[in-house]
Amino acid sequence: MPVGTLIYGQHGSEFEFDDRLLAHLRVVIVTKFRRRESFTLSWELQRDNGGGRVSLWLDPSIPLQFHFRGSREPALNREWIENLATIAGTTTGLVPLDEPRSPAHSSVS
């Protein structure tokens, strides 16, 4: 699976995510930014990257880019987007949840 990059802030801090996850995070982040909402995005670092957690304060006024490595846009899972959007609206903020594997999930174009 290709690994994409979220590039955030004036100095371009870079954070890697699987392209498929990044595509779903993008939908949620852009939707919240269109509403002028600020929120946190938090995730755990892998042990081979030193371990720990990262938390970013995402605000529509701060530069943000999504750089995908894959040549094709991943199919979107509506249920996954809804789950991510729900948690993004809580005090926890946006957290990369695992993709639901239920037979009820549907793709979004």
Side-chain angles (χ1 to χ4, degrees):
M1 183 70 57
V3 175
T5 307
L6 184 144
I7 304 166
Y8 189 65
Q10 184 176 353
H11 301 291
S13 297
E14 297 185 4
F15 306 96
E16 291 185 341
F17 294 93
D18 170 275
D19 265 6
R20 183 158 178 74
L21 172 59
L22 188 59
H24 287 77
L25 293 174
R26 179 183 63 184
V27 171
V28 174
I29 292 168
V30 168
T31 299
K32 291 186 75 62
F33 280 7
R34 290 180 73 193
R35 296 179 189 145
R36 308 293 302 154
E37 296 177 16
S38 301
F39 57 100
T40 59
L41 168 63
S42 302
W43 68 94
E44 291 184 28
L45 294 172
Q46 300 296 324
R47 287 190 184 224
D48 56 347
N49 288 335
R53 291 189 57 75
V54 174
S55 234
L56 297 175
W57 178 250
L58 299 181
D59 185 273
S61 66
I62 299 171
L64 175 66
Q65 296 177 45
F66 301 90
H67 182 198
F68 296 92
R69 296 281 184 224
S71 59
R72 294 192 172 176
E73 182 80 21
L76 296 176
N77 178 325
R78 183 182 311 274
E79 184 180 357
W80 197 9
I81 292 169
E82 290 170 0
N83 292 348
L84 291 166
T86 297
I87 197 152
T90 69
T91 56
T92 300
L94 182 55
V95 176
L97 303 171
D98 290 335
E99 181 172 10
R101 294 290 181 196
S102 69
H105 89 273
S106 61
S107 293
V108 177
S109 297

